[in-house]
Amino acid sequence: MSFRDPSLSASMPSSTSLGPLYTFPVPSFINLSQGKSTTWLYTTAAIIAALLILEQSVYRYKKGHLPGAKWTIPIIGKFAESVTPTMEGYQKQWNSGALSAISVFNIFIVMASSNEYARKILNSPSYAEPCLVHSAKTVLRPDNWVFLNGKAHLSYRRGLNSLFTRRALGIYIGIQDAITRRHLNRWLEDAAKEPAPKPIMMTARHLNMDTSLKVFCGKHITEEAALEINEKYWAITQSLELVNFPLAIPGTKVYKAVQARKVALHWLELAAHRSKISMANGSEPECMLDEWVQVLADPAYKGRREFSDLEMAMVLFSFLFASQDAMSSGLIYGFQHLADHPEILAKVREEQERVRQGDMEKPVTLEMLDQMPYLNAVVKESMRVKPPVTMVPYKTLRAFPISDDYTVPANSMVIPSFFNSMHDPQIFPEPEEFKPERWLDPNGSANQNPKNYILFGSGPHRCIGIEYATMNIALVLATAAVMMDFEHELTPLSNEVEIIATLFPKDGCRLKLTPRMQSNN
């Protein structure tokens, strides 16, 4: 029996079953447009997917068997880690293998952590050249001599060796001594007004910049010019991070650095012009520029005969770049190490008392520095424990067969690490410990393995101003040791480092300074 309502089976009116009461005609081109949009969407998605797959494939192919992430983050790679680098991050990468791979914005990078591979990179100019960072040529100018390679670089460098002879260093040390005393006295005056511990990072940088500019330019650069260069140079430091926005667009770090470079070159070029006039009038050399001009005028000189004012300015600017932050970092850590090891500071003072024969106002000479082996050991050990420069990026000019089973692709970055070489426990037992005595034994493993002390590089691009840099750090630490007492305020950040263009203490090394009465004996 069915209880279905018969009316429910009646058919619907035809007008209702045909659809809505009102219809609007849709032009055919709209349907066509929708179809094209869908096609473009799928096409675009397919292209993006193909590019991402290609990116991963290229990375995997270049990486080969090297340690490193199996897959790179699309497009940016290790960008986040590179923006805020840490020593822990670098050490993790170095410890992953003697060679390891990463990618940042599709720049393929091979990290070399062993001494063998680091030295091979530094000594293979036909395969790789220093590129520093991506923005370096924009900041320093692509025609700067530091970017030369091969015979052109060797020829140019040969012409600059005369600026660091013992005779030239003898001129520089007098300038360094006078400026150091002036700055340290100012430090003590400021400390008397505000005795609380203060970071010495920027004050040390100011001392270092003032010293370099006066050594390079002497009286040919004004106090106004030196101050302006000093104030603006920090922009250059910030622009030379390993990863930075590469274009000099207003507001970017690179743009600010370029403006700072223009200011510096203006004053340095003017100083070169003034030096040429001074030496032509028969003056005696009083700075690096004067020494350079006199050497060029010597008929017996067989090097390059002419340097324009701009060329001289660019060379001096490259010296500032090479010395400013690395030398400042070395100086700051030198203070920190001496403050943290009073027994070592006492030995430095004993040596100063002996060499200076009780006259602490006597200017230091090269001959006096030669009689300070313990001070020199302190400087060398300080820079070994906390190397101002941990790595120098290179770029491969062609495929570089760096090992028997791996070839670095052309146009890749290859970065030799210096840190591991100088912390090798086989060469430097207890490598994290600050032990200047390890350098006093000529037969000790430290002195018997000079290849491991690669702080200043190796090969054709080895630092040209090694003696100048170490002499300056030694002189400042020695003079500070006899002029003042300094106490290091330990903070949670005291053993942390900040990686900018080089390594600095994260808290800037906070010191409490007081006059040392013994310095008047």
Side-chain angles (χ1 to χ4, degrees):
M1 181 180 290
S2 173
F3 295 94
R4 185 176 58 173
D5 188 344
S7 64
L8 293 178
S9 64
S11 61
M12 297 291 291
S14 60
S15 60
T16 303
S17 63
L18 290 177
L21 295 176
Y22 300 98
T23 59
F24 298 92
V26 178
S28 60
F29 71 83
I30 292 182
N31 290 326
L32 182 61
S33 176
Q34 290 176 343
K36 286 186 175 180
S37 297
T38 303
T39 301
W40 275 110
L41 178 62
Y42 283 126
T43 302
T44 302
I47 292 173
I48 292 174
L51 290 175
L52 292 177
I53 293 171
L54 177 63
E55 176 189 46
Q56 301 297 327
S57 300
V58 170
Y59 167 73
R60 292 288 296 270
Y61 173 76
K62 289 182 176 180
K63 173 181 171 296
H65 69 277
L66 295 187
K70 292 183 178 180
W71 307 99
T72 182
I73 299 174
I75 302 175
I76 64 172
K78 292 275 188 177
F79 174 71
E81 293 89 337
S82 301
V83 170
T84 55
T86 64
M87 276 301 296
E88 293 77 12
Y90 280 137
Q91 288 175 321
K92 181 179 180 181
Q93 185 74 32
W94 296 330
N95 292 337
S96 69
L99 296 174
S100 59
I102 62 173
S103 177
V104 179
F105 278 123
N106 285 315
I107 300 174
F108 184 71
I109 303 171
V110 173
M111 307 286 283
S113 62
S114 72
N115 182 260
E116 174 192 357
Y117 289 136
R119 293 185 62 84
K120 188 167 186 178
I121 295 166
L122 297 171
N123 288 280
S124 301
S126 63
Y127 285 106
E129 65 178 6
C131 65
L132 304 178
V133 297
H134 188 77
S135 59
K137 287 190 176 182
T138 302
V139 175
L140 302 179
R141 290 183 45 145
D143 53 343
N144 198 305
W145 78 281
V146 298
F147 299 117
L148 293 175
N149 210 2
K151 291 183 178 179
H153 175 263
L154 290 175
S155 175
Y156 210 109
R157 182 187 175 98
R158 194 179 298 117
L160 302 179
N161 285 335
S162 61
L163 304 182
F164 297 99
T165 62
R166 189 168 177 85
R167 165 190 151 83
L169 294 174
I171 296 174
Y172 308 156
I173 195 170
I175 303 172
Q176 291 171 313
D177 186 90
I179 294 176
T180 294
R181 289 179 182 275
R182 189 177 73 201
H183 277 263
L184 293 182
N185 280 319
R186 191 179 302 159
W187 290 14
L188 288 173
E189 291 172 4
D190 293 340
K193 298 173 185 175
E194 297 181 23
K198 294 186 290 294
I200 67 163
M201 177 172 162
M202 298 310 291
T203 52
R205 289 185 79 257
H206 183 73
L207 160 62
N208 190 29
M209 176 65 82
D210 196 19
T211 301
S212 294
L213 286 174
K214 290 300 189 297
V215 166
F216 297 165
C217 305
K219 63 185 179 183
H220 308 305
I221 192 163
T222 65
E223 292 295 330
E224 172 198 0
L227 183 60
E228 186 175 12
I229 294 174
N230 201 339
E231 289 176 346
K232 294 183 180 298
Y233 194 88
W234 185 244
I236 295 173
T237 298
Q238 292 179 305
S239 74
L240 295 174
E241 296 166 333
L242 185 59
V243 176
N244 220 327
F245 187 78
L247 303 179
I249 297 174
T252 64
K253 292 180 180 180
V254 175
Y255 176 83
K256 294 175 182 177
V258 170
Q259 304 314 305
R261 178 252 292 164
K262 291 178 180 178
V263 169
L265 285 183
H266 165 74
W267 289 117
L268 294 174
E269 191 173 356
L270 183 59
H273 181 72
R274 289 171 174 168
S275 176
K276 290 177 179 178
I277 294 175
S278 177
M279 299 309 294
N281 291 332
S283 300
E284 287 295 316
E286 298 179 1
C287 63
M288 181 180 288
L289 274 174
D290 291 346
E291 180 73 6
W292 193 0
V293 172
Q294 188 177 72
V295 168
L296 292 174
D298 187 347
Y301 178 63
K302 297 181 180 179
R304 185 173 173 181
R305 297 297 300 174
E306 295 292 337
F307 281 86
S308 68
D309 296 343
L310 177 59
E311 285 178 308
M312 285 186 157
M314 288 176 63
V315 168
L316 296 187
F317 183 73
S318 69
F319 288 168
L320 281 180
F321 162 72
S323 67
Q324 176 59 17
D325 291 309
M327 203 155 69
S328 296
S329 175
L331 182 59
I332 294 165
Y333 276 118
F335 273 105
Q336 183 168 316
H337 284 135
L338 288 178
D340 290 345
H341 298 84
E343 73 286 357
I344 293 175
L345 177 57
K347 292 181 181 180
V348 169
R349 285 171 170 161
E350 289 172 6
E351 186 177 67
Q352 293 304 302
E353 184 77 25
R354 175 179 56 79
V355 175
R356 297 176 190 240
Q357 299 179 341
D359 184 2
M360 300 306 175
E361 298 299 322
K362 184 178 181 180
V364 177
T365 64
L366 286 180
E367 291 70 25
M368 292 169 67
L369 276 181
D370 291 340
Q371 300 173 51
M372 301 175 185
Y374 193 76
L375 173 66
N376 292 319
V378 165
V379 172
K380 197 164 188 177
E381 177 70 352
S382 180
M383 291 195 288
R384 184 199 66 80
V385 175
K386 294 287 188 182
V389 179
T390 58
M391 64 189 81
V392 176
Y394 274 62
K395 179 182 178 181
T396 53
L397 303 170
R398 55 193 176 114
F400 182 6
I402 195 169
S403 69
D404 293 337
D405 60 354
Y406 186 74
T407 297
V408 183
N411 297 314
S412 301
M413 287 184 71
V414 55
I415 305 180
S417 163
F418 301 161
F419 187 90
N420 285 4
S421 292
M422 294 189 292
H423 285 75
D424 185 341
Q426 300 299 319
I427 309 301
F428 308 105
E430 297 180 285
E432 301 303 323
E433 296 297 316
F434 180 63
K435 294 184 175 182
E437 285 75 14
R438 73 173 85 237
W439 298 103
L440 298 178
D441 180 7
N443 296 316
S445 60
N447 284 312
Q448 289 296 309
N449 292 277
K451 289 184 177 181
N452 274 74
Y453 196 82
I454 57 173
L455 174 67
F456 296 98
S458 178
H461 287 275
R462 188 169 184 259
C463 178
I464 195 173
I466 297 174
E467 290 81 4
Y468 168 77
T470 54
M471 178 176 76
N472 187 62
I473 295 174
L475 185 145
V476 174
L477 293 178
T479 306
V482 299
M483 283 182 63
M484 62 177 67
D485 289 312
F486 35 96
E487 180 181 341
H488 182 205
E489 181 190 46
L490 294 174
T491 74
L493 297 177
S494 291
N495 294 317
E496 300 291 325
V497 298
E498 182 176 8
I499 304 174
I500 307 174
T502 184
L503 298 187
F504 284 109
K506 267 200 172 176
D507 62 353
C509 182
R510 303 176 66 86
L511 295 183
K512 180 178 181 180
L513 307 176
T514 53
R516 186 169 182 265
M517 300 306 294
Q518 293 91 324
S519 64
N520 295 322
N521 292 340

Short mmCIF file of all heavy atoms in Angstrom, two decimals, residues 151-186:
data_model
loop_
_atom_site.label_atom_id
_atom_site.label_comp_id
_atom_site.label_asym_id
_atom_site.label_seq_id
_atom_site.Cartn_x
_atom_site.Cartn_y
_atom_site.Cartn_z
N LYS A 151 100.27 39.28 -13.26
CA LYS A 151 101.45 40.13 -13.40
C LYS A 151 101.16 41.59 -13.08
O LYS A 151 102.00 42.30 -12.52
CB LYS A 151 102.00 40.02 -14.83
CG LYS A 151 102.62 38.66 -15.15
CD LYS A 151 103.20 38.63 -16.55
CE LYS A 151 103.84 37.29 -16.85
NZ LYS A 151 104.41 37.24 -18.24
N ALA A 152 99.96 42.04 -13.43
CA ALA A 152 99.60 43.44 -13.16
C ALA A 152 99.61 43.69 -11.65
O ALA A 152 100.10 44.72 -11.18
CB ALA A 152 98.22 43.75 -13.74
N HIS A 153 99.08 42.74 -10.90
CA HIS A 153 99.06 42.89 -9.45
C HIS A 153 100.48 42.84 -8.87
O HIS A 153 100.84 43.67 -8.00
CB HIS A 153 98.21 41.78 -8.82
CG HIS A 153 98.24 41.78 -7.32
ND1 HIS A 153 99.07 40.95 -6.61
CD2 HIS A 153 97.55 42.52 -6.40
CE1 HIS A 153 98.88 41.16 -5.31
NE2 HIS A 153 97.97 42.11 -5.17
N LEU A 154 101.29 41.90 -9.32
CA LEU A 154 102.65 41.77 -8.80
C LEU A 154 103.46 43.02 -9.10
O LEU A 154 104.24 43.50 -8.25
CB LEU A 154 103.33 40.54 -9.41
CG LEU A 154 102.78 39.18 -8.94
CD1 LEU A 154 103.46 38.05 -9.71
CD2 LEU A 154 102.99 39.00 -7.44
N SER A 155 103.30 43.58 -10.29
CA SER A 155 104.04 44.78 -10.67
C SER A 155 103.63 45.96 -9.79
O SER A 155 104.47 46.72 -9.31
CB SER A 155 103.79 45.10 -12.14
OG SER A 155 104.41 46.32 -12.50
N TYR A 156 102.33 46.10 -9.58
CA TYR A 156 101.83 47.21 -8.77
C TYR A 156 102.29 47.05 -7.33
O TYR A 156 102.77 48.00 -6.69
CB TYR A 156 100.30 47.24 -8.82
CG TYR A 156 99.69 48.61 -8.68
CD1 TYR A 156 99.09 49.24 -9.75
CD2 TYR A 156 99.70 49.28 -7.46
CE1 TYR A 156 98.51 50.50 -9.63
CE2 TYR A 156 99.13 50.53 -7.32
CZ TYR A 156 98.53 51.13 -8.41
OH TYR A 156 97.97 52.38 -8.28
N ARG A 157 102.19 45.84 -6.82
CA ARG A 157 102.58 45.56 -5.45
C ARG A 157 104.07 45.82 -5.23
O ARG A 157 104.49 46.36 -4.20
CB ARG A 157 102.24 44.12 -5.11
CG ARG A 157 102.55 43.71 -3.67
CD ARG A 157 102.32 42.23 -3.49
NE ARG A 157 102.72 41.78 -2.16
CZ ARG A 157 101.89 41.60 -1.15
NH1 ARG A 157 100.61 41.82 -1.31
NH2 ARG A 157 102.33 41.18 0.03
N ARG A 158 104.88 45.44 -6.21
CA ARG A 158 106.32 45.66 -6.11
C ARG A 158 106.64 47.14 -5.93
O ARG A 158 107.56 47.52 -5.22
CB ARG A 158 107.02 45.09 -7.35
CG ARG A 158 108.53 44.96 -7.20
CD ARG A 158 109.15 44.36 -8.46
NE ARG A 158 108.64 43.01 -8.71
CZ ARG A 158 107.94 42.66 -9.78
NH1 ARG A 158 107.65 43.57 -10.71
NH2 ARG A 158 107.53 41.44 -9.93
N GLY A 159 105.85 47.98 -6.58
CA GLY A 159 106.07 49.41 -6.47
C GLY A 159 105.68 49.97 -5.11
O GLY A 159 106.08 51.09 -4.76
N LEU A 160 104.90 49.20 -4.34
CA LEU A 160 104.46 49.67 -3.02
C LEU A 160 105.30 49.11 -1.88
O LEU A 160 105.16 49.57 -0.74
CB LEU A 160 102.99 49.29 -2.80
CG LEU A 160 101.98 49.81 -3.83
CD1 LEU A 160 100.57 49.31 -3.49
CD2 LEU A 160 102.00 51.34 -3.88
N ASN A 161 106.14 48.13 -2.16
CA ASN A 161 106.94 47.52 -1.10
C ASN A 161 107.84 48.54 -0.40
O ASN A 161 108.14 48.40 0.79
CB ASN A 161 107.79 46.39 -1.67
CG ASN A 161 106.98 45.14 -1.95
OD1 ASN A 161 105.93 44.91 -1.36
ND2 ASN A 161 107.44 44.33 -2.89
N SER A 162 108.25 49.58 -1.13
CA SER A 162 109.15 50.58 -0.55
C SER A 162 108.46 51.38 0.56
O SER A 162 109.13 52.06 1.34
CB SER A 162 109.64 51.54 -1.63
OG SER A 162 108.55 52.22 -2.23
N LEU A 163 107.13 51.30 0.65
CA LEU A 163 106.41 52.04 1.68
C LEU A 163 106.47 51.35 3.04
O LEU A 163 106.04 51.93 4.05
CB LEU A 163 104.94 52.22 1.27
CG LEU A 163 104.69 52.88 -0.08
CD1 LEU A 163 103.20 53.03 -0.34
CD2 LEU A 163 105.38 54.23 -0.15
N PHE A 164 107.01 50.12 3.08
CA PHE A 164 107.04 49.38 4.33
C PHE A 164 108.44 48.84 4.63
O PHE A 164 108.59 47.81 5.28
CB PHE A 164 106.02 48.25 4.30
CG PHE A 164 104.60 48.73 4.17
CD1 PHE A 164 103.97 48.75 2.94
CD2 PHE A 164 103.92 49.23 5.28
CE1 PHE A 164 102.66 49.22 2.82
CE2 PHE A 164 102.62 49.70 5.15
CZ PHE A 164 102.00 49.70 3.93
N THR A 165 109.47 49.54 4.15
CA THR A 165 110.84 49.18 4.49
C THR A 165 111.11 49.57 5.94
O THR A 165 110.33 50.31 6.56
CB THR A 165 111.83 49.90 3.57
OG1 THR A 165 111.69 51.31 3.76
CG2 THR A 165 111.58 49.55 2.10
N ARG A 166 112.21 49.12 6.48
CA ARG A 166 112.54 49.47 7.86
C ARG A 166 112.76 50.98 8.00
O ARG A 166 112.40 51.57 9.02
CB ARG A 166 113.79 48.71 8.31
CG ARG A 166 114.07 48.87 9.81
CD ARG A 166 115.11 47.90 10.28
NE ARG A 166 115.44 48.10 11.69
CZ ARG A 166 114.76 47.57 12.71
NH1 ARG A 166 113.71 46.80 12.47
NH2 ARG A 166 115.11 47.82 13.97
N ARG A 167 113.34 51.59 6.97
CA ARG A 167 113.52 53.04 7.00
C ARG A 167 112.17 53.75 7.10
O ARG A 167 111.99 54.66 7.90
CB ARG A 167 114.26 53.50 5.74
CG ARG A 167 114.20 55.00 5.48
CD ARG A 167 114.73 55.33 4.08
NE ARG A 167 114.10 56.53 3.56
CZ ARG A 167 114.48 57.77 3.84
NH1 ARG A 167 115.49 57.97 4.66
NH2 ARG A 167 113.85 58.80 3.31
N ALA A 168 111.21 53.29 6.30
CA ALA A 168 109.88 53.90 6.32
C ALA A 168 109.19 53.66 7.66
O ALA A 168 108.59 54.57 8.24
CB ALA A 168 109.03 53.35 5.18
N LEU A 169 109.29 52.43 8.19
CA LEU A 169 108.67 52.12 9.47
C LEU A 169 109.27 52.97 10.59
O LEU A 169 108.58 53.32 11.55
CB LEU A 169 108.84 50.63 9.79
CG LEU A 169 108.09 49.66 8.87
CD1 LEU A 169 108.47 48.22 9.21
CD2 LEU A 169 106.59 49.84 8.99
N GLY A 170 110.55 53.30 10.45
CA GLY A 170 111.20 54.16 11.44
C GLY A 170 110.58 55.56 11.48
O GLY A 170 110.56 56.21 12.53
N ILE A 171 110.10 56.04 10.34
CA ILE A 171 109.40 57.32 10.29
C ILE A 171 108.02 57.18 10.93
O ILE A 171 107.59 58.03 11.72
CB ILE A 171 109.25 57.81 8.83
CG1 ILE A 171 110.64 58.08 8.21
CG2 ILE A 171 108.39 59.06 8.76
CD1 ILE A 171 110.57 58.43 6.73
N TYR A 172 107.34 56.10 10.61
CA TYR A 172 105.96 55.92 11.07
C TYR A 172 105.86 55.76 12.58
O TYR A 172 104.91 56.26 13.20
CB TYR A 172 105.32 54.69 10.40
CG TYR A 172 105.41 54.65 8.90
CD1 TYR A 172 105.34 53.44 8.19
CD2 TYR A 172 105.58 55.83 8.14
CE1 TYR A 172 105.41 53.40 6.82
CE2 TYR A 172 105.67 55.79 6.76
CZ TYR A 172 105.59 54.57 6.10
OH TYR A 172 105.68 54.53 4.74
N ILE A 173 106.82 55.06 13.19
CA ILE A 173 106.67 54.74 14.61
C ILE A 173 106.68 55.99 15.49
O ILE A 173 106.02 56.04 16.53
CB ILE A 173 107.75 53.74 15.07
CG1 ILE A 173 107.37 53.14 16.42
CG2 ILE A 173 109.14 54.39 15.11
CD1 ILE A 173 108.25 51.97 16.84
N GLY A 174 107.43 57.02 15.06
CA GLY A 174 107.42 58.27 15.81
C GLY A 174 106.04 58.92 15.80
O GLY A 174 105.58 59.47 16.82
N ILE A 175 105.38 58.87 14.65
CA ILE A 175 104.02 59.42 14.53
C ILE A 175 103.06 58.61 15.38
O ILE A 175 102.23 59.16 16.11
CB ILE A 175 103.56 59.41 13.06
CG1 ILE A 175 104.54 60.21 12.18
CG2 ILE A 175 102.15 59.97 12.93
CD1 ILE A 175 104.26 60.09 10.70
N GLN A 176 103.19 57.28 15.31
CA GLN A 176 102.31 56.40 16.09
C GLN A 176 102.44 56.66 17.58
O GLN A 176 101.45 56.72 18.31
CB GLN A 176 102.64 54.94 15.77
CG GLN A 176 102.27 54.51 14.37
CD GLN A 176 102.82 53.14 14.03
OE1 GLN A 176 103.99 52.86 14.26
NE2 GLN A 176 101.98 52.28 13.47
N ASP A 177 103.67 56.83 18.04
CA ASP A 177 103.91 57.03 19.46
C ASP A 177 103.26 58.33 19.96
O ASP A 177 102.58 58.34 20.99
CB ASP A 177 105.42 57.07 19.74
CG ASP A 177 105.74 57.13 21.21
OD1 ASP A 177 105.88 56.07 21.83
OD2 ASP A 177 105.83 58.26 21.77
N ALA A 178 103.44 59.40 19.20
CA ALA A 178 102.89 60.70 19.63
C ALA A 178 101.37 60.68 19.66
O ALA A 178 100.74 61.17 20.62
CB ALA A 178 103.39 61.80 18.69
N ILE A 179 100.75 60.12 18.63
CA ILE A 179 99.28 60.09 18.57
C ILE A 179 98.71 59.16 19.64
O ILE A 179 97.69 59.46 20.27
CB ILE A 179 98.81 59.67 17.17
CG1 ILE A 179 99.21 60.74 16.16
CG2 ILE A 179 97.31 59.44 17.14
CD1 ILE A 179 98.87 60.40 14.74
N THR A 180 99.38 58.03 19.87
CA THR A 180 98.92 57.09 20.89
C THR A 180 98.88 57.76 22.26
O THR A 180 97.90 57.65 23.00
CB THR A 180 99.84 55.86 20.93
OG1 THR A 180 99.72 55.14 19.71
CG2 THR A 180 99.47 54.95 22.09
N ARG A 181 99.95 58.47 22.62
CA ARG A 181 99.99 59.14 23.94
C ARG A 181 98.89 60.19 24.05
O ARG A 181 98.26 60.32 25.11
CB ARG A 181 101.36 59.76 24.15
CG ARG A 181 102.46 58.75 24.39
CD ARG A 181 103.82 59.41 24.58
NE ARG A 181 104.84 58.40 24.77
CZ ARG A 181 105.13 57.82 25.94
NH1 ARG A 181 104.45 58.16 27.03
NH2 ARG A 181 106.07 56.91 26.04
N ARG A 182 98.66 60.92 22.98
CA ARG A 182 97.63 61.94 23.01
C ARG A 182 96.25 61.32 23.25
O ARG A 182 95.46 61.82 24.06
CB ARG A 182 97.64 62.74 21.70
CG ARG A 182 96.73 63.97 21.71
CD ARG A 182 96.85 64.72 20.41
NE ARG A 182 96.19 64.01 19.32
CZ ARG A 182 96.46 64.19 18.03
NH1 ARG A 182 97.41 65.04 17.67
NH2 ARG A 182 95.80 63.53 17.11
N HIS A 183 95.97 60.23 22.55
CA HIS A 183 94.66 59.59 22.71
C HIS A 183 94.51 58.93 24.07
O HIS A 183 93.44 59.02 24.70
CB HIS A 183 94.45 58.56 21.61
CG HIS A 183 93.94 59.14 20.33
ND1 HIS A 183 92.60 59.15 19.99
CD2 HIS A 183 94.58 59.77 19.31
CE1 HIS A 183 92.44 59.74 18.82
NE2 HIS A 183 93.63 60.12 18.38
N LEU A 184 95.55 58.26 24.56
CA LEU A 184 95.45 57.60 25.85
C LEU A 184 95.26 58.61 26.97
O LEU A 184 94.52 58.35 27.94
CB LEU A 184 96.69 56.74 26.10
CG LEU A 184 96.87 55.52 25.17
CD1 LEU A 184 98.11 54.73 25.56
CD2 LEU A 184 95.65 54.62 25.19
N ASN A 185 95.91 59.76 26.86
CA ASN A 185 95.68 60.82 27.85
C ASN A 185 94.23 61.29 27.82
O ASN A 185 93.63 61.57 28.86
CB ASN A 185 96.63 62.00 27.59
CG ASN A 185 98.03 61.74 28.14
OD1 ASN A 185 98.18 61.20 29.24
ND2 ASN A 185 99.05 62.13 27.40
N ARG A 186 93.67 61.36 26.61
CA ARG A 186 92.27 61.76 26.47
C ARG A 186 91.35 60.70 27.09
O ARG A 186 90.34 61.02 27.72
CB ARG A 186 91.93 61.99 25.00
CG ARG A 186 90.58 62.66 24.75
CD ARG A 186 90.37 62.84 23.26
NE ARG A 186 91.43 63.63 22.66
CZ ARG A 186 91.74 63.62 21.37
NH1 ARG A 186 91.05 62.84 20.53
NH2 ARG A 186 92.72 64.37 20.90
#
